Amino acid sequence: MTINWKKSMIVVCDIVIAAYLLFAVTAFNKPDAAATCSEVKIDIKEGRVDGFLNASEVKKLLSKDKIYPLSKSMNAINPRQIEESLEKSPFVENAECHKTMNGHVCISIQQRIPVIRVMNANGESYYIDTHGNIMPESRYVNDLIIATGSFSKKYAQSVLTRVSNHIMADDFWKNQVVQINILDNGTMELVPRVGDHIIYLGLPNHIDKKLERLRKFYLYGLNKAGWNKYNYINLEFDNQIICKRNNRKKNK
């Protein structure tokens, strides 16, 4: 009987390699009971305006639930539990967490971004995010439109969210509009940053067309006539702009 040494050596090598791989997978993936979390890495995604969260706030949220992972056993850290804890916050839209082999816990957060601050006639004060979710008043956020007048939270979550999202998505209007005021009959006014006038939109429909009409009026009208010539600009009706002259600015 002739032994095929070449074939036998290949079989033996295959067995040795398979045994090594099995050992390596078992050894390297076996939890180290003594390993503890040496670092917590927190990444908070930024939006087009400042949000409410920072690393210190995230630490407070997790410490409140007694699951902040630093110095805890890696075996005892549950990434899903951390995600669920953070997503209970009205300021967090989505949270992801994972552990690394070198004892780090990585947390990535997509925060809710406020687009408007409500200060209505009912005495309510809160923020609305891009999806119409209510965010409690936590701290002041710069460069947000302020909404005033008499309206409900349902109105704020639907109508005001739609209007403010449109304004905040355009750099020009984002910098120009500082306030939305809702009148008793449900119509809407805008208060601009530049110019001594009030912008009357009427009912909150066709906002894109009304603002585009106003943009052209700014460019071809007020740039020549002067930004303080009118104190009231009415965009309520299609294909026209009605202006009320600012008598206080007449030359003496």
Side-chain angles (χ1 to χ4, degrees), residues 31 61 84 101 164 168:
L61 290 172
E84 291 175 349
M101 294 295 295
S164 58
M168 294 297 287

Side-chain angles (χ1 to χ4, degrees), residues 169-183:
D170 186 294
D171 286 339
F172 176 79
W173 295 118
K174 175 184 174 180
N175 292 310
Q176 173 67 345
V177 177
V178 296
Q179 182 179 340
I180 298 174
N181 185 47
I182 308 303
L183 304 178

Side-chain angles (χ1 to χ4, degrees), residues 11-36:
V11 173
V12 171
C13 288
D14 287 344
I15 293 173
V16 170
I17 292 172
Y20 172 78
L21 290 174
L22 180 62
F23 170 79
V25 170
T26 304
F28 292 147
N29 288 280
K30 183 179 180 180
D32 184 354
T36 59

Side-chain angles (χ1 to χ4, degrees), residues 42-45 53 58 86 92 94-95 107-111:
I42 300 173
D43 176 33
I44 301 176
K45 307 299 182 184
L53 290 176
V58 173
L86 292 173
V92 175
N94 180 63
I107 301 172
S108 178
I109 293 175
Q110 182 71 49
Q111 61 181 324

Side-chain angles (χ1 to χ4, degrees), residues 143 152 165 213 233:
D143 300 324
S152 65
N165 272 333
R213 201 184 321 148
I233 299 175

Side-chain angles (χ1 to χ4, degrees), residues 16-252:
V16 170
I17 292 172
Y20 172 78
L21 290 174
L22 180 62
F23 170 79
V25 170
T26 304
F28 292 147
N29 288 280
K30 183 179 180 180
D32 184 354
T36 59
C37 174
S38 59
E39 185 177 352
V40 180
K41 296 183 177 181
I42 300 173
D43 176 33
I44 301 176
K45 307 299 182 184
E46 296 296 333
R48 58 195 178 206
V49 297
D50 292 335
F52 291 95
L53 290 176
N54 54 41
S56 296
E57 292 295 330
V58 173
K59 181 178 179 179
K60 287 180 183 178
L61 290 172
L62 295 177
S63 297
K64 184 179 179 180
D65 286 346
K66 299 180 180 180
I67 56 173
Y68 187 67
L70 188 64
S71 301
K72 290 184 179 293
S73 166
M74 293 296 285
N75 285 340
I77 297 170
N78 184 335
R80 184 56 192 157
Q81 186 182 27
I82 290 174
E83 292 171 354
E84 291 175 349
S85 174
L86 292 173
E87 287 173 354
K88 289 189 300 183
S89 168
F91 307 119
V92 175
E93 183 171 335
N94 180 63
E96 295 181 359
C97 177
H98 68 272
K99 299 185 288 186
T100 67
M101 294 295 295
N102 59 351
H104 295 173
V105 172
C106 301
I107 301 172
S108 178
I109 293 175
Q110 182 71 49
Q111 61 181 324
R112 297 189 188 281
I113 301 300
V115 290
I116 193 166
R117 185 183 188 188
V118 170
M119 300 178 68
N120 65 19
N122 302 326
E124 296 175 321
S125 183
Y126 54 89
Y127 293 92
I128 298 288
D129 76 357
T130 53
H131 302 296
N133 298 300
I134 292 177
M135 304 169 66
E137 191 175 42
S138 174
R139 63 179 176 83
Y140 182 72
V141 177
N142 292 322
D143 300 324
L144 279 188
I145 303 166
I146 296 176
T148 57
S150 182
F151 52 87
S152 65
K153 286 185 177 180
K154 183 177 180 181
Y155 181 92
Q157 290 179 283
S158 56
V159 177
L160 287 181
T161 299
R162 172 173 53 82
V163 174
S164 58
N165 272 333
H166 183 88
I167 293 172
M168 294 297 287
D170 186 294
D171 286 339
F172 176 79
W173 295 118
K174 175 184 174 180
N175 292 310
Q176 173 67 345
V177 177
V178 296
Q179 182 179 340
I180 298 174
N181 185 47
I182 308 303
L183 304 178
D184 291 340
N185 61 2
T187 58
M188 182 177 292
E189 293 176 335
L190 303 181
V191 179
R193 188 183 307 276
V194 179
D196 187 21
H197 57 266
I198 298 297
I199 303 161
Y200 182 69
L201 295 179
L203 292 175
N205 51 23
H206 307 299
I207 299 298
D208 54 342
K209 294 181 179 179
K210 291 176 180 179
L211 290 182
E212 184 58 29
R213 201 184 321 148
L214 180 59
R215 189 198 302 268
K216 292 177 180 178
F217 180 67
Y218 277 169
L219 182 61
Y220 302 109
L222 293 191
N223 272 344
K224 297 179 180 179
W227 284 72
N228 296 324
K229 183 174 182 178
Y230 304 107
N231 64 9
Y232 209 74
I233 299 175
N234 187 336
L235 302 170
E236 179 180 15
F237 304 106
D238 291 340
N239 301 319
Q240 62 178 298
I241 297 176
I242 303 172
C243 300
K244 182 179 178 181
R245 189 181 295 275
N246 191 350
N247 293 324
R248 291 175 300 172
K249 297 300 179 179
K250 283 185 176 181
N251 293 327
K252 295 182 178 179

